[in-house]
Coordinates of all heavy atoms in Angstrom, one line a residue:
C48 N 109.6 83.0 -45.8 CA 111.0 83.3 -46.0 C 111.4 84.7 -45.5 O 110.5 85.4 -44.9 CB 111.4 83.2 -47.5 SG 110.6 84.4 -48.5
Q49 N 112.6 85.0 -45.7 CA 113.1 86.3 -45.2 C 112.4 87.5 -45.8 O 112.3 88.6 -45.2 CB 114.6 86.4 -45.5 CG 115.5 85.5 -44.8 CD 115.5 84.1 -45.4 OE1 114.9 83.8 -46.4 NE2 116.2 83.2 -44.7
Q50 N 111.9 87.3 -47.1 CA 111.1 88.4 -47.7 C 109.9 88.7 -46.8 O 109.5 89.9 -46.7 CB 110.6 88.0 -49.1 CG 111.6 87.3 -49.9 CD 112.4 88.3 -50.8 OE1 111.9 89.4 -51.0 NE2 113.5 87.9 -51.2
C84 N 102.6 82.4 -46.1 CA 103.5 81.8 -47.1 C 102.7 80.8 -47.9 O 101.8 80.1 -47.4 CB 104.7 81.2 -46.5 SG 105.8 80.2 -47.6
A85 N 103.0 80.6 -49.2 CA 102.3 79.6 -50.0 C 103.3 78.6 -50.7 O 102.8 77.9 -51.5 CB 101.5 80.4 -51.0
V86 N 104.5 78.7 -50.3 CA 105.5 77.9 -51.1 C 105.3 76.4 -51.1 O 105.5 75.7 -52.1 CB 107.0 78.4 -50.7 CG1 107.4 77.7 -49.5 CG2 107.9 78.1 -51.9
R87 N 104.8 75.9 -49.9 CA 104.5 74.5 -49.8 C 103.2 74.4 -49.1 O 102.8 75.3 -48.4 CB 105.6 73.7 -49.1 CG 106.8 73.5 -49.9 CD 108.0 72.9 -49.1 NE 108.5 74.0 -48.2 CZ 109.4 74.9 -48.5 NH1 109.9 74.9 -49.7 NH2 109.8 75.8 -47.7
E88 N 102.5 73.2 -49.3 CA 101.2 73.1 -48.7 C 101.3 73.2 -47.2 O 100.4 73.8 -46.5 CB 100.7 71.7 -49.1 CG 99.2 71.5 -48.8 CD 98.7 70.1 -49.1 OE1 99.4 69.5 -50.0 OE2 97.7 69.8 -48.6
G194 N 109.8 90.3 -56.2 CA 109.2 89.5 -57.3 C 110.2 88.6 -57.9 O 111.4 88.5 -57.5
C195 N 109.7 87.8 -58.9 CA 110.6 86.9 -59.6 C 110.1 86.6 -61.0 O 108.9 86.6 -61.2 CB 110.6 85.6 -58.8 SG 111.6 84.3 -59.6
N197 N 111.4 84.0 -62.9 CA 112.0 82.8 -63.4 C 111.0 81.6 -63.7 O 111.3 80.8 -64.5 CB 113.1 82.3 -62.4 CG 114.3 83.2 -62.5 OD1 114.8 83.5 -63.6 ND2 114.7 83.8 -61.4
C199 N 110.2 78.8 -62.2 CA 110.6 77.4 -62.1 C 109.2 76.7 -62.0 O 108.3 77.2 -61.4 CB 111.3 77.3 -60.8 SG 112.8 78.3 -60.8
T200 N 109.1 75.5 -62.6 CA 107.8 75.0 -62.8 C 107.1 74.5 -61.6 O 105.9 74.3 -61.6 CB 107.8 73.8 -63.8 OG1 108.8 72.8 -63.3 CG2 108.3 74.2 -65.2
Y201 N 107.8 74.4 -60.5 CA 107.2 74.0 -59.2 C 106.7 75.1 -58.3 O 106.0 74.9 -57.4 CB 108.2 73.1 -58.4 CG 109.5 73.8 -58.2 CD1 109.7 74.8 -57.3 CD2 110.6 73.5 -59.1 CE1 110.9 75.4 -57.2 CE2 111.8 74.1 -59.0 CZ 112.0 75.1 -58.0 OH 113.2 75.8 -58.0
C202 N 107.1 76.3 -58.7 CA 107.1 77.4 -57.7 C 106.0 78.4 -57.9 O 105.7 78.9 -59.0 CB 108.5 78.1 -57.8 SG 108.7 79.4 -56.5
I203 N 105.4 78.8 -56.8 CA 104.3 79.7 -56.7 C 104.7 81.2 -56.6 O 103.9 82.1 -56.9 CB 103.3 79.3 -55.5 CG1 102.0 80.0 -55.6 CG2 104.0 79.6 -54.2 CD1 101.0 79.3 -56.5
V204 N 106.0 81.4 -56.2 CA 106.4 82.7 -55.9 C 106.2 83.8 -57.0 O 105.6 84.8 -56.7 CB 107.9 82.7 -55.4 CG1 108.4 84.1 -55.3 CG2 108.1 82.0 -54.1
P205 N 106.5 83.5 -58.3 CA 106.3 84.5 -59.3 C 104.8 84.9 -59.4 O 104.5 86.0 -59.8 CB 106.7 83.8 -60.6 CG 107.7 82.8 -60.2 CD 107.2 82.3 -58.8
G238 N 116.4 89.3 -52.1 CA 115.7 89.3 -53.4 C 115.5 87.8 -53.8 O 116.3 87.0 -53.3
Q239 N 114.5 87.4 -54.6 CA 114.4 86.0 -55.0 C 115.5 85.6 -55.8 O 115.9 84.4 -55.9 CB 113.0 85.8 -55.7 CG 111.8 86.0 -54.8 CD 111.8 85.0 -53.7 OE1 112.5 84.0 -53.6 NE2 110.9 85.3 -52.7
N240 N 116.1 86.5 -56.6 CA 117.2 86.2 -57.4 C 118.0 87.5 -57.5 O 117.9 88.2 -58.5 CB 116.8 85.7 -58.8 CG 118.0 85.5 -59.7 OD1 119.1 85.4 -59.3 ND2 117.7 85.4 -61.0
V241 N 118.9 87.7 -56.6 CA 119.6 89.0 -56.5 C 120.4 89.3 -57.8 O 120.7 90.4 -58.1 CB 120.4 89.2 -55.2 CG1 119.6 89.3 -54.0 CG2 121.5 88.1 -55.1
M273 N 120.9 87.0 -50.3 CA 120.2 85.8 -50.8 C 118.9 86.2 -51.5 O 118.3 87.2 -51.2 CB 120.0 84.9 -49.6 CG 118.9 85.3 -48.6 SD 118.9 84.3 -47.2 CE 118.7 82.7 -47.9
T274 N 118.5 85.4 -52.5 CA 119.2 84.2 -53.0 C 119.8 84.4 -54.3 O 119.4 85.3 -55.1 CB 118.1 83.1 -53.1 OG1 117.5 82.9 -51.8 CG2 118.7 81.8 -53.6
S275 N 120.8 83.6 -54.7 CA 121.4 83.7 -56.0 C 120.9 82.5 -56.8 O 120.9 81.4 -56.3 CB 122.9 83.5 -55.9 OG 123.5 84.7 -55.5
H276 N 120.6 82.8 -58.0 CA 120.2 81.7 -58.9 C 121.4 81.2 -59.7 O 122.0 82.1 -60.4 CB 119.1 82.2 -59.8 CG 118.3 81.1 -60.6 ND1 119.0 80.2 -61.3 CD2 117.0 80.9 -60.7 CE1 118.1 79.4 -61.9 NE2 116.9 79.8 -61.5
P277 N 121.7 79.9 -59.8 CA 122.9 79.5 -60.5 C 122.9 79.9 -62.0 O 124.0 80.1 -62.5 CB 122.8 78.0 -60.4 CG 122.0 77.7 -59.2 CD 121.0 78.8 -59.1
H299 N 124.7 81.2 -50.8 CA 123.5 80.3 -50.8 C 123.1 80.2 -52.2 O 122.6 81.1 -52.8 CB 122.4 80.8 -49.9 CG 121.2 80.0 -49.9 ND1 121.3 78.7 -49.4 CD2 119.9 80.1 -50.3 CE1 120.1 78.1 -49.5 NE2 119.2 79.0 -50.1
L300 N 123.4 79.0 -52.8 CA 123.2 78.8 -54.3 C 122.4 77.6 -54.5 O 122.9 76.5 -54.7 CB 124.6 78.7 -54.9 CG 124.7 78.9 -56.4 CD1 124.2 80.3 -56.9 CD2 126.1 78.6 -56.9
P301 N 121.0 77.7 -54.5 CA 120.2 76.5 -54.5 C 120.3 75.8 -55.9 O 120.3 76.4 -56.9 CB 118.8 77.1 -54.4 CG 118.9 78.4 -53.8 CD 120.2 78.9 -54.3
F302 N 120.6 74.5 -55.8 CA 120.6 73.8 -57.1 C 119.4 72.9 -57.4 O 119.2 72.4 -58.5 CB 121.9 73.0 -57.2 CG 122.1 71.7 -56.3 CD1 121.5 70.5 -56.7 CD2 122.7 71.8 -55.1 CE1 121.6 69.4 -55.9 CE2 122.8 70.7 -54.3 CZ 122.3 69.5 -54.7
Q303 N 118.6 72.6 -56.4 CA 117.3 71.9 -56.5 C 117.4 70.4 -56.8 O 116.8 69.6 -56.2 CB 116.3 72.6 -57.4 CG 116.2 74.1 -57.2 CD 115.7 74.6 -55.9 OE1 115.3 73.8 -55.0 NE2 115.6 75.9 -55.7
S304 N 118.2 70.1 -57.9 CA 118.4 68.7 -58.3 C 119.7 68.5 -59.0 O 120.2 69.4 -59.7 CB 117.2 68.3 -59.2 OG 117.5 67.0 -59.8
M313 N 112.3 71.4 -64.4 CA 112.0 72.4 -63.4 C 112.2 73.8 -64.0 O 111.9 74.8 -63.4 CB 113.0 72.3 -62.3 CG 112.8 71.2 -61.3 SD 114.2 71.2 -60.1 CE 113.5 70.1 -58.8
R315 N 115.0 75.3 -64.8 CA 116.1 76.0 -64.0 C 117.1 76.7 -64.8 O 117.8 77.6 -64.4 CB 116.7 75.1 -63.0 CG 115.8 74.7 -61.8 CD 115.5 75.8 -60.9 NE 116.7 76.1 -60.0 CZ 116.7 77.1 -59.1 NH1 115.6 77.8 -58.9 NH2 117.7 77.3 -58.4
Y317 N 120.1 75.7 -66.0 CA 121.5 75.3 -65.9 C 121.6 73.8 -65.8 O 120.6 73.1 -65.6 CB 122.2 76.0 -64.7 CG 121.5 75.7 -63.4 CD1 121.8 74.5 -62.6 CD2 120.5 76.5 -62.9 CE1 121.1 74.3 -61.5 CE2 119.8 76.2 -61.8 CZ 120.1 75.1 -61.0 OH 119.4 74.8 -59.9
S340 N 122.7 75.3 -49.9 CA 121.8 75.1 -51.1 C 120.4 74.6 -50.6 O 120.2 74.2 -49.5 CB 122.4 74.0 -52.0 OG 121.7 73.9 -53.2
D341 N 119.5 74.8 -51.6 CA 118.1 74.2 -51.4 C 118.0 73.0 -52.3 O 118.5 73.1 -53.5 CB 117.0 75.2 -51.8 CG 116.9 76.4 -50.9 OD1 117.6 76.4 -49.8 OD2 116.2 77.4 -51.3
I342 N 117.3 72.0 -51.9 CA 117.1 70.8 -52.8 C 115.6 70.4 -52.7 O 115.0 70.4 -51.6 CB 117.9 69.7 -52.3 CG1 119.4 70.1 -52.4 CG2 117.7 68.4 -53.2 CD1 120.4 69.0 -51.9
I343 N 115.0 70.1 -53.8 CA 113.7 69.5 -53.8 C 113.8 68.0 -54.1 O 114.4 67.6 -55.1 CB 112.8 70.2 -54.8 CG1 112.6 71.6 -54.5 CG2 111.4 69.5 -54.9 CD1 111.7 72.4 -55.5
V344 N 113.2 67.2 -53.2 CA 113.2 65.7 -53.4 C 111.8 65.3 -53.8 O 110.8 65.9 -53.3 CB 113.5 65.0 -52.0 CG1 113.4 63.5 -52.2 CG2 115.0 65.4 -51.6
F346 N 110.5 65.5 -57.0 CA 109.9 66.2 -58.1 C 109.2 65.2 -59.0 O 109.7 64.1 -59.2 CB 110.9 67.0 -58.9 CG 110.4 68.0 -59.9 CD1 109.8 69.2 -59.6 CD2 110.4 67.6 -61.3 CE1 109.2 70.0 -60.5 CE2 109.9 68.4 -62.2 CZ 109.3 69.6 -61.9
F370 N 119.0 73.0 -47.2 CA 117.6 73.1 -46.9 C 116.9 72.2 -47.9 O 116.9 72.5 -49.1 CB 117.2 74.6 -47.0 CG 118.0 75.5 -46.1 CD1 119.2 76.0 -46.6 CD2 117.6 75.7 -44.8 CE1 119.9 76.8 -45.7 CE2 118.4 76.5 -44.0 CZ 119.5 77.1 -44.4
T371 N 116.4 71.1 -47.3 CA 115.8 70.1 -48.2 C 114.3 70.1 -48.0 O 113.8 70.1 -46.9 CB 116.4 68.7 -47.9 OG1 116.5 68.6 -46.5 CG2 117.7 68.5 -48.5
F372 N 113.6 69.9 -49.2 CA 112.1 70.0 -49.2 C 111.6 68.8 -50.0 O 112.1 68.5 -51.0 CB 111.6 71.3 -49.8 CG 112.3 72.5 -49.1 CD1 113.3 73.2 -49.8 CD2 111.9 72.9 -47.9 CE1 113.9 74.3 -49.2 CE2 112.5 74.0 -47.3 CZ 113.5 74.7 -48.0
L373 N 110.5 68.3 -49.5 CA 109.7 67.3 -50.4 C 108.9 68.1 -51.3 O 108.2 69.1 -50.9 CB 108.8 66.5 -49.5 CG 109.5 65.2 -48.9 CD1 108.5 64.6 -47.9 CD2 109.8 64.2 -50.0
F374 N 108.8 67.7 -52.6 CA 108.0 68.5 -53.6 C 106.6 68.6 -53.1 O 106.0 67.6 -52.6 CB 108.1 67.7 -54.9 CG 107.1 68.3 -55.9 CD1 107.3 69.5 -56.5 CD2 105.9 67.6 -56.2 CE1 106.4 70.0 -57.4 CE2 105.0 68.1 -57.1 CZ 105.2 69.3 -57.7
S375 N 106.0 69.8 -53.3 CA 104.7 70.0 -52.9 C 103.9 70.6 -54.1 O 104.4 71.6 -54.7 CB 104.7 71.0 -51.7 OG 103.4 71.4 -51.4
R376 N 102.8 70.0 -54.5 CA 102.1 70.5 -55.6 C 101.4 71.9 -55.3 O 100.7 72.0 -54.4 CB 101.0 69.6 -56.0 CG 101.4 68.5 -56.9 CD 100.3 67.5 -57.2 NE 101.1 66.2 -57.5 CZ 101.6 66.0 -58.7 NH1 101.4 66.8 -59.7 NH2 102.2 64.9 -58.9
R377 N 101.7 72.9 -56.1 CA 101.1 74.2 -55.9 C 100.1 74.5 -57.1 O 100.6 74.6 -58.3 CB 102.2 75.3 -55.9 CG 103.2 75.1 -54.8 CD 102.8 75.4 -53.4 NE 101.7 74.5 -52.9 CZ 100.8 74.9 -52.1 NH1 100.7 76.1 -51.6 NH2 99.9 74.0 -51.6
S378 N 98.9 74.7 -56.8 CA 97.9 74.8 -57.9 C 98.2 76.1 -58.7 O 98.6 77.1 -58.1 CB 96.5 74.7 -57.4 OG 96.0 76.0 -57.1
T380 N 100.7 76.2 -60.9 CA 102.1 76.0 -61.4 C 102.1 74.9 -62.4 O 101.3 73.9 -62.3 CB 103.1 75.7 -60.3 OG1 102.8 74.5 -59.7 CG2 103.1 76.8 -59.3
A382 N 104.1 72.4 -62.8 CA 104.4 71.0 -62.2 C 103.2 70.4 -61.5 O 103.3 69.2 -61.1 CB 105.6 71.1 -61.4
Ligands
SAH1 N1 114.1 82.3 -55.0 C1 114.8 81.3 -54.3 C2 113.9 80.4 -53.5 C3 112.6 80.7 -53.0 S1 111.6 79.4 -52.4 C4 115.6 80.5 -55.3 O1 115.2 80.4 -56.4 O2 116.5 79.9 -54.8 C5 112.7 78.6 -51.4 C6 112.9 77.2 -51.7 O3 111.7 76.5 -51.5 C7 113.3 76.9 -53.1 O4 114.6 77.0 -53.4 C8 112.9 75.4 -53.3 O5 113.9 74.6 -52.9 C9 111.7 75.3 -52.3 N2 110.4 75.2 -53.1 C10 109.8 76.1 -53.8 N3 108.7 75.6 -54.3 C11 108.5 74.4 -53.8 C12 107.5 73.3 -54.0 N4 106.5 73.5 -54.8 N5 107.7 72.2 -53.3 C13 108.8 72.0 -52.5 N6 109.8 72.9 -52.4 C14 109.6 74.1 -53.0

Side-chain angles (χ1 to χ4, degrees):
C48 66
Q49 292 81 4
Q50 314 271 338
C84 169
V86 81
R87 283 169 291 275
E88 195 181 338
C195 181
N197 289 309
C199 302
T200 54
Y201 50 81
C202 186
I203 193 83
V204 172
Q239 292 299 345
N240 174 16
V241 292
M273 69 189 307
T274 298
S275 281
H276 194 307
H299 180 61
L300 196 64
F302 71 84
Q303 313 297 359
S304 168
M313 287 177 163
R315 289 290 288 181
Y317 54 87
S340 187
D341 294 348
I342 299 177
I343 296 178
V344 174
F346 187 77
F370 302 88
T371 40
F372 308 104
L373 274 170
F374 170 72
S375 170
R376 271 174 209 279
R377 303 284 67 213
S378 92
T380 64

